[in-house]
Amino acid sequence: MELRRNRNIQWVIVFLLGTLIVAGFTWVNYSFSKNNPGGNDFLVHYVGTRSFLLEGVSPYSDEVAIRIQTAAYGHPAQGDEHELRVAYPLYSIIVFLPFSLIKNYIFARAVWMTALELALIIMAFVVMNLAGWKPPLWMQGVILLFSLTWYHAIRGVVNGNAVILIAMMLSVVFLLMRDNKDRLAGFLLAITTIKPQLVVLLIPLIIIWSLYQKRWTLIKWFFGTMAACILIGIILIPNWILQNLWEILKYPAYNPAGTLAAALSEWSPGLESPLKWGIFIALGVLLLYEWWTGRKGSFERFLWVAFLTLTISQWIGIQTDPGNFIILFPAIILIISIWDKRWKAKGTIIVSSTLAVLFFGLWFLFIMTIQKSYQPIQNPVMFIPLPAITLFGLYWIKWWVITPARSYWIGSK
């Protein structure tokens, strides 16, 4: 009886502390949003979802685009201003619905920012669990602080980019797959397709590996959830797929460099086409090789290939943006966790140094290369460092990850 009472008290304390933390985050975010207009990644879907729910206007319409642009700029987009059009699948309103019901945009943005920050914290804990890594408590604190404050996290939170939720959900999907909870894994994997360019290569890998592993439940729940999402969309807007495809086709025209080849061609004009095909062929061959050799492998081998796939998908030629690179955070944690276990006493120094280089290096590069336009714009050079570091790190640890005799994966050092 006494034990149960103590547990109840502990849960009450945890609940109160959690409430205070969420309230604190939201207050800080509200103060920031009030003094710093923006959050355009969120604004697009906030206005698009509200317009559809309250007025029945298609989020893909020109009318809604002009509303979004006017909210952001005070007028329809002009010159080099981003057109801010909805390009997500219609079922993405499931994610934005609770926030779009808040009438005051500043408060809605603050709550959304809090949700993204909580997702970053959850992702950090999930990935450490996924890697079987239990660093000292102080190091866990450092990792949590890093996860909230490094360049790709701050950029995502300030802009209101849903990629943070996608990255968190994918981390949970991998954890569920490891623990054979395939129903929920398949369901969440389908929801990650609200930003399809992020998972367009990862999903075929998961399906292929699941087929070889006879994980039929995961496959059925993924395709069943996808079918339900698409069907609900068709009931709401019968031709939403065509409208969405049209927006996707228009998307590259009003966005800055969206591929590694386009970014490199900023310094080598006229070479975008050969660069595009060279990068595509080289990375495509590498990816197919790793998929083939890992198709029957263990979960550890699969997870390494999955992280490699997410990394390569940022460079292979799929339209993206360095703002999406937060999706590489789980791979970074896996890499430093293996280093920590491999080098034991020196591991703490290596991990701390790596996090410091990533934190200060990326912020320094961004600040020194920022471009001025209708708003500060990141330089295409930001396409290079994080995927390069992640690709290098993944191949550094490959042997320790995929070799069954090694013990660097499961458990702490």
Side-chain angles (χ1 to χ4, degrees):
M1 187 71 178
E2 185 66 24
L3 180 61
R4 181 181 297 176
R5 182 185 175 190
N6 289 338
R7 285 180 178 175
N8 290 337
I9 292 173
Q10 290 175 355
W11 279 113
V12 169
I13 292 172
V14 169
F15 174 77
L16 291 175
L17 285 175
T19 302
L20 286 174
I21 291 171
V22 170
F25 272 131
T26 305
W27 180 79
V28 171
N29 292 332
Y30 182 81
S31 299
F32 175 85
S33 299
K34 192 174 181 180
N35 297 306
N36 297 273
N40 289 350
D41 286 348
F42 173 63
L43 176 66
V44 169
H45 302 286
Y46 172 82
V47 175
T49 302
R50 279 184 67 85
S51 297
F52 177 68
L53 291 177
L54 301 181
E55 303 173 49
V57 180
S58 171
Y60 305 115
S61 66
D62 291 336
E63 178 183 348
V64 168
I66 291 173
R67 289 182 188 180
I68 297 167
Q69 295 160 11
T70 303
Y73 310 128
H75 55 76
Q78 301 173 356
D80 63 349
E81 291 175 335
H82 196 289
E83 290 189 22
L84 301 175
R85 303 181 69 97
V86 174
Y88 286 11
L90 184 61
Y91 52 84
S92 66
I93 62 175
I94 298 169
V95 174
F96 297 101
L97 175 61
F99 307 93
S100 67
L101 295 176
I102 301 173
K103 187 174 182 180
N104 183 296
Y105 170 69
I106 295 176
F107 184 60
R109 181 189 176 196
V111 176
W112 175 253
M113 290 172 69
T114 299
L116 297 183
E117 289 159 344
L118 293 176
L120 288 169
I121 293 172
I122 292 169
M123 177 167 59
F125 280 116
V126 168
V127 176
M128 284 189 282
N129 186 327
L130 193 60
W133 188 35
K134 296 180 181 178
L137 192 59
W138 70 267
M139 179 59 74
Q140 292 183 40
V142 169
I143 291 170
L144 287 178
L145 183 62
F146 174 83
S147 72
L148 287 168
T149 58
W150 69 310
Y151 170 72
H152 290 290
I154 292 290
R155 178 178 179 81
V157 170
V158 170
N159 288 344
N161 196 335
V163 67
I164 293 175
L165 291 182
I166 305 303
M168 184 271 289
M169 284 193 285
L170 284 176
S171 301
V172 174
V173 165
F174 293 138
L175 189 65
L176 292 169
M177 290 178 66
R178 186 196 68 182
D179 296 341
N180 293 305
K181 296 177 180 179
D182 288 349
R183 289 182 177 86
L184 188 52
F187 171 79
L188 280 180
L189 182 62
I191 302 302
T192 65
T193 62
I194 64 169
K195 288 198 75 163
Q197 74 272 29
L198 297 177
V199 293
V200 68
L201 293 181
L202 178 66
I203 286 175
L205 168 67
I206 292 176
I207 298 302
I208 291 169
W209 185 80
S210 297
L211 285 171
Y212 275 99
Q213 300 294 322
K214 296 180 171 58
R215 303 280 287 267
W216 312 117
T217 301
L218 190 154
I219 297 171
K220 287 187 291 186
W221 273 77
F222 167 73
F223 283 111
T225 305
M226 283 298 305
C229 288
I230 293 170
L231 181 60
I232 291 171
I234 291 173
I235 293 172
L236 296 174
I237 301 179
N239 68 338
W240 78 264
I241 295 177
L242 292 177
Q243 291 187 44
N244 185 214
L245 286 173
W246 178 240
E247 291 300 327
I248 291 172
L249 291 174
K250 290 193 291 187
Y251 186 81
Y254 57 83
N255 272 272
T259 64
L260 177 61
L264 293 175
S265 68
E266 295 280 330
W267 303 289
S268 302
L271 292 181
E272 181 174 354
S273 182
L275 283 170
K276 177 179 69 175
W277 286 106
I279 292 169
F280 174 78
I281 292 171
L283 293 181
V285 169
L286 176 64
L287 197 59
L288 288 174
Y289 169 77
E290 296 294 358
W291 281 16
W292 180 255
T293 56
R295 70 194 187 282
K296 297 180 181 179
S298 64
F299 175 78
E300 291 78 11
R301 176 89 182 237
F302 158 77
L303 189 63
W304 181 89
V305 178
F307 286 161
L308 179 72
T309 301
L310 287 172
T311 304
I312 285 179
S313 68
Q314 305 306 308
W315 271 4
I316 200 168
I318 300 167
Q319 183 78 20
T320 187
D321 176 87
N324 291 329
F325 290 177
I326 190 69
I327 207 164
L328 303 183
F329 176 78
I332 293 294
I333 296 300
L334 174 63
I335 292 165
I336 62 175
S337 73
I338 299 295
W339 286 346
D340 187 39
K341 298 171 195 176
R342 172 66 178 83
W343 281 294
K344 296 182 170 61
K346 296 179 181 178
T348 299
I349 298 174
I350 294 170
V351 170
S352 301
S353 300
T354 302
L355 293 178
V357 168
L358 285 173
F359 182 87
F360 292 107
L362 290 171
W363 273 117
F364 177 79
L365 184 61
F366 168 70
I367 292 169
M368 295 303 294
T369 61
I370 193 169
Q371 299 175 338
K372 302 291 184 180
S373 184
Y374 62 94
Q375 65 178 15
I377 297 177
Q378 65 183 352
N379 190 286
V381 72
M382 298 304 295
F383 256 96
I384 299 172
L386 188 63
I389 292 169
T390 308
L391 195 61
F392 176 78
L394 284 171
Y395 273 98
W396 187 328
I397 67 168
K398 181 181 179 182
W399 174 252
W400 302 322
V401 169
I402 68 174
T403 306
R406 300 291 178 181
S407 59
Y408 302 124
W409 185 277
I410 303 300
S412 59
K413 64 177 180 179

